[in-house]
């Protein structure tokens, strides 16, 4: 096996630019990436087994938006996948004007599934506007300019 330092690093911007070249004018790209800001990703980075794992598929909300804009896409929309990427049932937009109510509703819907402590921690995070950092995955879509 090649060492991590000898492997070519994945260039996400170049990859997205290549996708843009094969899309028709006004075409839409959609996908899902890992949220590098999520508590689960943070804990995974602390464990010995995951330290060597490639982080090129993990982005923050801000870096995902930047990636798509730098690749030439417009009308970028970002969502959290709920409850997670393994079994997505809902998309909740991460824009503050739209999503705070949606995240409050989602939290109330999941109240019985969470312990009292976990519920109140999540409630504080939602009220503080930090909800884009809670979920494991970010779903995105963006349009190629016409």
């Amino acid at each position: 096996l090649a060492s991590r330092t000898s492997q070519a690093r994945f260039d996400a911007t170049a990859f997205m630019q290549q996708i843009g070249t094969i899309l028709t004018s006004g075409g839409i790209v959609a996908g899902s990436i890992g949220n590098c800001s999520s508590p689960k990703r943070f804990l995974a980075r602390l464990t010995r087994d995951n330290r060597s794992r490639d982080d090129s598929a993990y982005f923050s909300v801000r870096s995902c938006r930047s990636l798509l804009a730098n690749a030439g896409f417009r009308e970028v929309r970002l969502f959290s996948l709920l409850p997670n990427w393994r079994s997505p049932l809902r998309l909740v937009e991460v824009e503050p004007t739209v999503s705070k109510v949606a995240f409050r509703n989602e939290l109330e819907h999941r109240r019985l599934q969470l312990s009292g402590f976990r519920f109140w921690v999540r409630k504080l995070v939602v009220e503080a506007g930090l909800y884009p950092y809670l979920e494991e995955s970010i779903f995105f879509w963006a349009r190629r300019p016409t």
Side-chain angles (χ1 to χ4, degrees):
L1 293 175
S3 73
R4 180 164 165 74
T5 56
S6 68
Q7 294 175 349
R9 186 155 175 91
F10 176 70
D11 185 349
T13 301
F15 178 72
M16 293 307 292
Q17 286 171 335
Q18 289 176 344
I19 289 174
T21 63
I22 62 172
L23 283 176
T24 61
S25 181
I28 294 175
V29 62
S32 177
I33 57 173
N35 185 351
C36 69
S37 305
S38 75
K40 284 189 178 185
R41 185 66 194 143
F42 176 75
L43 292 173
R45 284 192 303 255
L46 294 178
T47 65
R48 184 177 305 246
D49 296 337
N50 290 313
R51 285 190 185 168
S52 63
R53 199 171 202 179
D54 184 16
D55 281 341
S56 63
Y58 293 90
F59 291 83
S60 67
V61 167
R62 181 180 290 164
S63 64
C64 180
R65 189 180 311 283
S66 249
L67 165 71
L68 294 164
N70 291 339
F73 289 98
R74 301 292 172 255
E75 299 178 45
V76 174
R77 304 275 303 269
L78 303 177
F79 304 85
S80 288
L81 290 170
L82 301 174
N84 59 46
W85 63 272
R86 290 176 194 88
S87 60
L89 299 174
R90 285 178 287 291
L91 296 176
V92 178
E93 192 165 9
V94 298
E95 296 301 321
T97 56
V98 175
S99 61
K100 194 165 198 174
V101 171
F103 272 97
R104 282 177 183 154
N105 291 339
E106 177 63 22
L107 184 59
E108 286 301 322
H109 176 74
R110 294 181 59 198
R111 185 178 203 142
L112 296 177
Q113 299 169 343
L114 300 169
S115 68
F117 177 75
R118 287 183 68 205
F119 172 80
W120 287 107
V121 167
R122 280 184 167 261
K123 179 112 174 128
L124 289 171
V125 169
V126 167
E127 295 306 319
L130 300 174
Y131 35 81
Y133 307 105
L134 283 178
E135 307 308 329
E136 295 177 59
S137 300
I138 301 167
F139 177 81
F140 63 86
W141 76 261
R143 186 178 307 275
R144 181 178 177 212
T146 54

PDB file of all heavy atoms in Angstrom, residues 96-116:
ATOM      1  N   PRO A  96     -30.316  30.272   7.591  1.00  0.00           N
ATOM      2  CA  PRO A  96     -30.895  30.681   8.878  1.00  0.00           C
ATOM      3  C   PRO A  96     -32.343  31.157   8.799  1.00  0.00           C
ATOM      4  O   PRO A  96     -33.139  30.875   9.679  1.00  0.00           O
ATOM      5  CB  PRO A  96     -29.983  31.822   9.345  1.00  0.00           C
ATOM      6  CG  PRO A  96     -28.716  31.630   8.611  1.00  0.00           C
ATOM      7  CD  PRO A  96     -29.066  30.977   7.306  1.00  0.00           C
ATOM      8  N   THR A  97     -32.697  31.859   7.740  1.00  0.00           N
ATOM      9  CA  THR A  97     -34.061  32.380   7.647  1.00  0.00           C
ATOM     10  C   THR A  97     -35.086  31.280   7.443  1.00  0.00           C
ATOM     11  O   THR A  97     -36.253  31.455   7.763  1.00  0.00           O
ATOM     12  CB  THR A  97     -34.176  33.391   6.488  1.00  0.00           C
ATOM     13  OG1 THR A  97     -33.754  32.747   5.278  1.00  0.00           O
ATOM     14  CG2 THR A  97     -33.327  34.617   6.751  1.00  0.00           C
ATOM     15  N   VAL A  98     -34.667  30.171   6.900  1.00  0.00           N
ATOM     16  CA  VAL A  98     -35.585  29.077   6.595  1.00  0.00           C
ATOM     17  C   VAL A  98     -35.546  27.987   7.649  1.00  0.00           C
ATOM     18  O   VAL A  98     -36.559  27.456   8.067  1.00  0.00           O
ATOM     19  CB  VAL A  98     -35.227  28.453   5.216  1.00  0.00           C
ATOM     20  CG1 VAL A  98     -36.088  27.247   4.921  1.00  0.00           C
ATOM     21  CG2 VAL A  98     -35.329  29.486   4.121  1.00  0.00           C
ATOM     22  N   SER A  99     -34.349  27.668   8.116  1.00  0.00           N
ATOM     23  CA  SER A  99     -34.177  26.412   8.818  1.00  0.00           C
ATOM     24  C   SER A  99     -34.394  26.412  10.319  1.00  0.00           C
ATOM     25  O   SER A  99     -34.590  25.353  10.893  1.00  0.00           O
ATOM     26  CB  SER A  99     -32.792  25.863   8.521  1.00  0.00           C
ATOM     27  OG  SER A  99     -31.823  26.749   8.968  1.00  0.00           O
ATOM     28  N   LYS A 100     -34.367  27.536  10.975  1.00  0.00           N
ATOM     29  CA  LYS A 100     -34.494  27.500  12.435  1.00  0.00           C
ATOM     30  C   LYS A 100     -35.827  26.880  12.839  1.00  0.00           C
ATOM     31  O   LYS A 100     -35.878  26.017  13.710  1.00  0.00           O
ATOM     32  CB  LYS A 100     -34.347  28.886  13.040  1.00  0.00           C
ATOM     33  CG  LYS A 100     -34.134  28.846  14.528  1.00  0.00           C
ATOM     34  CD  LYS A 100     -33.640  30.179  15.030  1.00  0.00           C
ATOM     35  CE  LYS A 100     -33.033  30.025  16.392  1.00  0.00           C
ATOM     36  NZ  LYS A 100     -32.424  31.237  16.872  1.00  0.00           N
ATOM     37  N   VAL A 101     -36.901  27.268  12.183  1.00  0.00           N
ATOM     38  CA  VAL A 101     -38.215  26.694  12.481  1.00  0.00           C
ATOM     39  C   VAL A 101     -38.227  25.208  12.129  1.00  0.00           C
ATOM     40  O   VAL A 101     -38.735  24.388  12.893  1.00  0.00           O
ATOM     41  CB  VAL A 101     -39.330  27.451  11.717  1.00  0.00           C
ATOM     42  CG1 VAL A 101     -40.655  26.737  11.842  1.00  0.00           C
ATOM     43  CG2 VAL A 101     -39.429  28.875  12.228  1.00  0.00           C
ATOM     44  N   ALA A 102     -37.647  24.856  10.999  1.00  0.00           N
ATOM     45  CA  ALA A 102     -37.612  23.450  10.582  1.00  0.00           C
ATOM     46  C   ALA A 102     -36.826  22.597  11.569  1.00  0.00           C
ATOM     47  O   ALA A 102     -37.238  21.484  11.909  1.00  0.00           O
ATOM     48  CB  ALA A 102     -37.017  23.335   9.183  1.00  0.00           C
ATOM     49  N   PHE A 103     -35.693  23.104  12.045  1.00  0.00           N
ATOM     50  CA  PHE A 103     -34.904  22.349  13.015  1.00  0.00           C
ATOM     51  C   PHE A 103     -35.616  22.253  14.362  1.00  0.00           C
ATOM     52  O   PHE A 103     -35.515  21.243  15.045  1.00  0.00           O
ATOM     53  CB  PHE A 103     -33.503  22.939  13.182  1.00  0.00           C
ATOM     54  CG  PHE A 103     -32.522  22.388  12.197  1.00  0.00           C
ATOM     55  CD1 PHE A 103     -32.228  23.081  11.039  1.00  0.00           C
ATOM     56  CD2 PHE A 103     -31.904  21.175  12.411  1.00  0.00           C
ATOM     57  CE1 PHE A 103     -31.335  22.576  10.121  1.00  0.00           C
ATOM     58  CE2 PHE A 103     -31.008  20.653  11.501  1.00  0.00           C
ATOM     59  CZ  PHE A 103     -30.720  21.358  10.342  1.00  0.00           C
ATOM     60  N   ARG A 104     -36.329  23.285  14.745  1.00  0.00           N
ATOM     61  CA  ARG A 104     -37.133  23.208  15.979  1.00  0.00           C
ATOM     62  C   ARG A 104     -38.182  22.111  15.840  1.00  0.00           C
ATOM     63  O   ARG A 104     -38.375  21.303  16.752  1.00  0.00           O
ATOM     64  CB  ARG A 104     -37.826  24.536  16.253  1.00  0.00           C
ATOM     65  CG  ARG A 104     -36.953  25.591  16.841  1.00  0.00           C
ATOM     66  CD  ARG A 104     -37.739  26.875  17.003  1.00  0.00           C
ATOM     67  NE  ARG A 104     -36.917  27.948  17.513  1.00  0.00           N
ATOM     68  CZ  ARG A 104     -37.166  29.222  17.297  1.00  0.00           C
ATOM     69  NH1 ARG A 104     -38.224  29.589  16.598  1.00  0.00           N
ATOM     70  NH2 ARG A 104     -36.370  30.149  17.792  1.00  0.00           N
ATOM     71  N   ASN A 105     -38.863  22.091  14.703  1.00  0.00           N
ATOM     72  CA  ASN A 105     -39.887  21.070  14.461  1.00  0.00           C
ATOM     73  C   ASN A 105     -39.284  19.671  14.445  1.00  0.00           C
ATOM     74  O   ASN A 105     -39.851  18.732  15.001  1.00  0.00           O
ATOM     75  CB  ASN A 105     -40.635  21.338  13.163  1.00  0.00           C
ATOM     76  CG  ASN A 105     -41.510  22.564  13.236  1.00  0.00           C
ATOM     77  OD1 ASN A 105     -41.879  23.016  14.325  1.00  0.00           O
ATOM     78  ND2 ASN A 105     -41.832  23.130  12.094  1.00  0.00           N
ATOM     79  N   GLU A 106     -38.149  19.523  13.802  1.00  0.00           N
ATOM     80  CA  GLU A 106     -37.474  18.225  13.742  1.00  0.00           C
ATOM     81  C   GLU A 106     -37.066  17.767  15.137  1.00  0.00           C
ATOM     82  O   GLU A 106     -37.209  16.610  15.496  1.00  0.00           O
ATOM     83  CB  GLU A 106     -36.251  18.301  12.828  1.00  0.00           C
ATOM     84  CG  GLU A 106     -35.446  17.037  12.750  1.00  0.00           C
ATOM     85  CD  GLU A 106     -36.211  15.862  12.167  1.00  0.00           C
ATOM     86  OE1 GLU A 106     -37.194  16.067  11.447  1.00  0.00           O
ATOM     87  OE2 GLU A 106     -35.810  14.712  12.429  1.00  0.00           O
ATOM     88  N   LEU A 107     -36.572  18.688  15.932  1.00  0.00           N
ATOM     89  CA  LEU A 107     -36.161  18.357  17.292  1.00  0.00           C
ATOM     90  C   LEU A 107     -37.356  17.901  18.119  1.00  0.00           C
ATOM     91  O   LEU A 107     -37.275  16.898  18.836  1.00  0.00           O
ATOM     92  CB  LEU A 107     -35.477  19.553  17.952  1.00  0.00           C
ATOM     93  CG  LEU A 107     -34.903  19.319  19.335  1.00  0.00           C
ATOM     94  CD1 LEU A 107     -33.867  18.205  19.309  1.00  0.00           C
ATOM     95  CD2 LEU A 107     -34.283  20.602  19.862  1.00  0.00           C
ATOM     96  N   GLU A 108     -38.461  18.588  18.006  1.00  0.00           N
ATOM     97  CA  GLU A 108     -39.679  18.171  18.720  1.00  0.00           C
ATOM     98  C   GLU A 108     -40.151  16.800  18.248  1.00  0.00           C
ATOM     99  O   GLU A 108     -40.584  15.977  19.038  1.00  0.00           O
ATOM    100  CB  GLU A 108     -40.790  19.209  18.560  1.00  0.00           C
ATOM    101  CG  GLU A 108     -40.572  20.460  19.367  1.00  0.00           C
ATOM    102  CD  GLU A 108     -40.445  20.207  20.864  1.00  0.00           C
ATOM    103  OE1 GLU A 108     -41.149  19.333  21.413  1.00  0.00           O
ATOM    104  OE2 GLU A 108     -39.625  20.894  21.506  1.00  0.00           O
ATOM    105  N   HIS A 109     -40.035  16.556  16.952  1.00  0.00           N
ATOM    106  CA  HIS A 109     -40.427  15.263  16.387  1.00  0.00           C
ATOM    107  C   HIS A 109     -39.562  14.127  16.950  1.00  0.00           C
ATOM    108  O   HIS A 109     -40.053  13.022  17.176  1.00  0.00           O
ATOM    109  CB  HIS A 109     -40.305  15.329  14.859  1.00  0.00           C
ATOM    110  CG  HIS A 109     -40.588  14.053  14.169  1.00  0.00           C
ATOM    111  ND1 HIS A 109     -41.866  13.541  14.037  1.00  0.00           N
ATOM    112  CD2 HIS A 109     -39.766  13.154  13.583  1.00  0.00           C
ATOM    113  CE1 HIS A 109     -41.805  12.393  13.402  1.00  0.00           C
ATOM    114  NE2 HIS A 109     -40.546  12.139  13.119  1.00  0.00           N
ATOM    115  N   ARG A 110     -38.284  14.409  17.189  1.00  0.00           N
ATOM    116  CA  ARG A 110     -37.357  13.382  17.682  1.00  0.00           C
ATOM    117  C   ARG A 110     -37.216  13.377  19.196  1.00  0.00           C
ATOM    118  O   ARG A 110     -36.424  12.623  19.746  1.00  0.00           O
ATOM    119  CB  ARG A 110     -35.983  13.602  17.045  1.00  0.00           C
ATOM    120  CG  ARG A 110     -36.001  13.379  15.546  1.00  0.00           C
ATOM    121  CD  ARG A 110     -34.661  13.564  14.922  1.00  0.00           C
ATOM    122  NE  ARG A 110     -33.694  12.649  15.504  1.00  0.00           N
ATOM    123  CZ  ARG A 110     -32.382  12.807  15.396  1.00  0.00           C
ATOM    124  NH1 ARG A 110     -31.885  13.825  14.760  1.00  0.00           N
ATOM    125  NH2 ARG A 110     -31.559  11.943  15.947  1.00  0.00           N
ATOM    126  N   ARG A 111     -37.981  14.176  19.890  1.00  0.00           N
ATOM    127  CA  ARG A 111     -37.836  14.341  21.337  1.00  0.00           C
ATOM    128  C   ARG A 111     -37.850  13.011  22.100  1.00  0.00           C
ATOM    129  O   ARG A 111     -37.044  12.789  22.999  1.00  0.00           O
ATOM    130  CB  ARG A 111     -38.957  15.239  21.868  1.00  0.00           C
ATOM    131  CG  ARG A 111     -38.802  15.553  23.324  1.00  0.00           C
ATOM    132  CD  ARG A 111     -39.888  16.481  23.810  1.00  0.00           C
ATOM    133  NE  ARG A 111     -39.399  17.164  24.981  1.00  0.00           N
ATOM    134  CZ  ARG A 111     -39.628  18.413  25.279  1.00  0.00           C
ATOM    135  NH1 ARG A 111     -40.370  19.145  24.497  1.00  0.00           N
ATOM    136  NH2 ARG A 111     -39.133  18.936  26.367  1.00  0.00           N
ATOM    137  N   LEU A 112     -38.735  12.110  21.750  1.00  0.00           N
ATOM    138  CA  LEU A 112     -38.835  10.831  22.461  1.00  0.00           C
ATOM    139  C   LEU A 112     -37.658   9.897  22.152  1.00  0.00           C
ATOM    140  O   LEU A 112     -37.391   8.976  22.913  1.00  0.00           O
ATOM    141  CB  LEU A 112     -40.151  10.143  22.128  1.00  0.00           C
ATOM    142  CG  LEU A 112     -41.408  10.890  22.592  1.00  0.00           C
ATOM    143  CD1 LEU A 112     -42.665  10.148  22.145  1.00  0.00           C
ATOM    144  CD2 LEU A 112     -41.398  11.089  24.095  1.00  0.00           C
ATOM    145  N   GLN A 113     -36.970  10.134  21.050  1.00  0.00           N
ATOM    146  CA  GLN A 113     -35.823   9.298  20.673  1.00  0.00           C
ATOM    147  C   GLN A 113     -34.537   9.735  21.374  1.00  0.00           C
ATOM    148  O   GLN A 113     -33.563   9.001  21.392  1.00  0.00           O
ATOM    149  CB  GLN A 113     -35.602   9.353  19.160  1.00  0.00           C
ATOM    150  CG  GLN A 113     -36.763   8.836  18.365  1.00  0.00           C
ATOM    151  CD  GLN A 113     -36.611   9.161  16.889  1.00  0.00           C
ATOM    152  OE1 GLN A 113     -35.826  10.010  16.506  1.00  0.00           O
ATOM    153  NE2 GLN A 113     -37.395   8.486  16.077  1.00  0.00           N
ATOM    154  N   LEU A 114     -34.529  10.942  21.922  1.00  0.00           N
ATOM    155  CA  LEU A 114     -33.326  11.477  22.542  1.00  0.00           C
ATOM    156  C   LEU A 114     -33.451  11.461  24.056  1.00  0.00           C
ATOM    157  O   LEU A 114     -34.526  11.706  24.593  1.00  0.00           O
ATOM    158  CB  LEU A 114     -33.092  12.922  22.074  1.00  0.00           C
ATOM    159  CG  LEU A 114     -32.911  13.131  20.576  1.00  0.00           C
ATOM    160  CD1 LEU A 114     -32.958  14.616  20.246  1.00  0.00           C
ATOM    161  CD2 LEU A 114     -31.604  12.522  20.113  1.00  0.00           C
ATOM    162  N   SER A 115     -32.343  11.208  24.729  1.00  0.00           N
ATOM    163  CA  SER A 115     -32.360  11.300  26.190  1.00  0.00           C
ATOM    164  C   SER A 115     -32.578  12.762  26.569  1.00  0.00           C
ATOM    165  O   SER A 115     -32.381  13.666  25.765  1.00  0.00           O
ATOM    166  CB  SER A 115     -31.035  10.805  26.760  1.00  0.00           C
ATOM    167  OG  SER A 115     -29.996  11.707  26.418  1.00  0.00           O
ATOM    168  N   GLY A 116     -32.972  12.994  27.797  1.00  0.00           N
ATOM    169  CA  GLY A 116     -33.205  14.357  28.254  1.00  0.00           C
ATOM    170  C   GLY A 116     -32.016  15.267  28.032  1.00  0.00           C
ATOM    171  O   GLY A 116     -32.146  16.385  27.534  1.00  0.00           O
TER     172      GLY A 116
END
